[in-house]
Amino acid sequence: MKKKEVVYVVSDSVGETAEFVVKAVATQFNGGSVDIRRNSYVEDVEDIEDVLVLARQSNQSIIAYTIVIPQLKDYLDRRATEEGILAVDLLNPLMNAFEQKFEKPPNQQPGLMRQLDDDYFRKIEAIEFAVKYDDGRDPRGIVRSDIVLIGVSRTSKTPLSMYLAHKRYKVANVPLVPEVKPPDELFNVPRSKCVGLIISPDKLNEIRTERLKALGLTSQANYASFERILEELDYAEKIMKRVGCPVINVSNKAVEETASQILDILKSERSYT
């Protein structure tokens, strides 16, 4: 019975990249019927020797590797040649092309892809958090968040939450409405992670009027009336004073500008705690 082909995937990191490439190539041969054995976090010559011992046992084996540490790569190349084992470097040809074309040397540091992946997943987690705890839907998010934004309707709480989420901050936002009692959790969070958003009555009237028009409603609705706006702003100010949080006027600020100010404020607040 013919022995099954074996590919030893060797990496000084996780080895996912090498395994993916091997699988892609294997599908072109016998429907991908190849035994792939991953050897992750290879850190010294002893680890390489362990793989060579296994690969020597069959002439139907290949070593496919993604090793960026030069000493380990050179050692594997030399020893594989001595043992008559085919070893394929999956990174070096493209790395050399990058180096020649872009005229800059590689970092030669293992695990950088994993760091990028971790950073990506932190961002996704923060975005999902912002969606889940938007507009005060679940007060439990207040305690779990990195930043809590409070303010009346149309003070850019949601856009700010999403913008900050893309910077890996978990943000919850809570609307302040006179008829609705704020959640108790709001008064138990450290003031160093809460920010109040205020806006001028004229600007808020303008924004709310446009919002009503977009919804096909009359601009005379109570939502955009100055009397209602002043009532809401007065109520919000009282809540913010009770919380003791820093306050930002967003009247004529872009989301990016407000977000930068929020981070500056929180950084300075936390440096004193």
Side-chain angles (χ1 to χ4, degrees):
M1 181 177 177
K2 184 181 177 181
K3 289 186 178 180
K4 191 174 183 180
E5 294 87 352
V6 180
V7 179
Y8 294 93
V9 169
V10 180
S11 176
D12 47 19
S13 184
V14 180
E16 289 176 339
T17 302
E19 183 171 351
F20 181 81
V21 172
V22 170
K23 285 180 177 178
V25 172
T27 59
Q28 303 298 318
F29 298 88
N30 302 322
S33 174
V34 174
D35 185 5
I36 300 174
R37 303 178 186 178
R38 190 197 297 185
N39 298 265
S40 305
Y41 301 110
V42 170
E43 298 177 342
D44 50 43
V45 297
E46 287 78 10
D47 293 332
I48 291 176
E49 287 295 337
D50 291 341
V51 177
L52 291 170
V53 169
L54 296 172
R56 273 200 306 262
Q57 296 174 4
S58 170
N59 61 1
Q60 293 293 106
S61 63
I62 297 174
I63 295 176
Y65 68 88
T66 52
I67 295 178
V68 298
I69 301 173
Q71 296 86 343
L72 288 181
K73 169 189 155 38
D74 293 343
Y75 184 86
L76 176 54
D77 286 338
R78 177 174 61 81
R79 290 289 293 119
T81 299
E82 292 173 354
E83 297 291 342
I85 300 169
L86 179 59
V88 182
D89 184 343
L90 300 178
L91 289 183
N92 206 52
L94 186 56
M95 199 174 296
N96 286 339
F98 268 61
E99 186 172 5
Q100 292 171 15
K101 189 65 178 179
F102 303 134
E103 299 181 343
K104 57 175 66 175
N107 290 323
Q108 296 179 332
Q109 179 182 340
L112 293 181
M113 188 65 183
R114 170 58 57 180
Q115 291 178 25
L116 288 175
D117 287 345
D118 289 344
D119 185 60
Y120 170 78
F121 286 118
R122 281 198 299 271
K123 180 171 75 171
I124 295 301
E125 183 182 8
I127 292 172
E128 291 176 345
F129 186 96
V131 172
K132 182 175 182 178
Y133 298 111
D134 181 46
D135 209 29
R137 292 175 186 167
D138 187 341
R140 292 175 297 180
I142 296 172
V143 178
R144 299 170 183 170
S145 64
D146 299 317
I147 302 171
V148 180
L149 303 178
I150 59 176
V152 301
S153 173
R154 314 314 294 179
T155 49
S156 300
K157 295 186 300 300
T158 296
L160 281 166
S161 295
M162 296 306 298
Y163 183 89
L164 291 167
H166 277 81
K167 293 185 175 293
R168 289 66 171 168
Y169 291 95
K170 294 180 179 179
V171 186
N173 72 75
V174 180
L176 299 180
V177 184
E179 292 79 14
V180 180
K181 180 179 179 293
D184 294 334
E185 289 84 350
L186 182 61
F187 304 103
N188 295 321
V189 298
R191 69 185 301 273
S192 60
K193 77 172 189 178
C194 186
V195 175
L197 305 175
I198 61 171
I199 189 171
S200 71
D202 288 338
K203 186 65 177 179
L204 187 55
N205 171 259
E206 177 186 332
I207 294 172
R208 288 189 174 184
T209 298
E210 289 302 316
R211 176 61 175 166
L212 289 172
K213 288 180 181 178
L215 295 174
L217 302 174
T218 173
S219 60
Q220 302 304 313
N222 187 47
Y223 177 70
S225 73
F226 270 102
E227 182 179 358
R228 173 62 183 182
I229 285 173
L230 291 173
E231 178 188 5
E232 288 188 33
L233 292 175
D234 181 62
Y235 174 77
E237 183 180 356
K238 291 177 181 177
I239 296 299
M240 291 174 194
K241 286 182 177 179
R242 182 180 168 189
V243 173
C245 63
V247 175
I248 296 177
N249 191 320
V250 302
S251 298
N252 297 299
K253 289 186 174 69
V255 168
E256 296 84 355
E257 184 182 0
T258 304
S260 178
Q261 192 171 348
I262 288 171
L263 296 179
D264 287 342
I265 288 175
L266 294 184
K267 184 177 179 181
S268 63
E269 286 285 333
R270 290 169 184 175
S271 68
Y272 290 107
T273 58

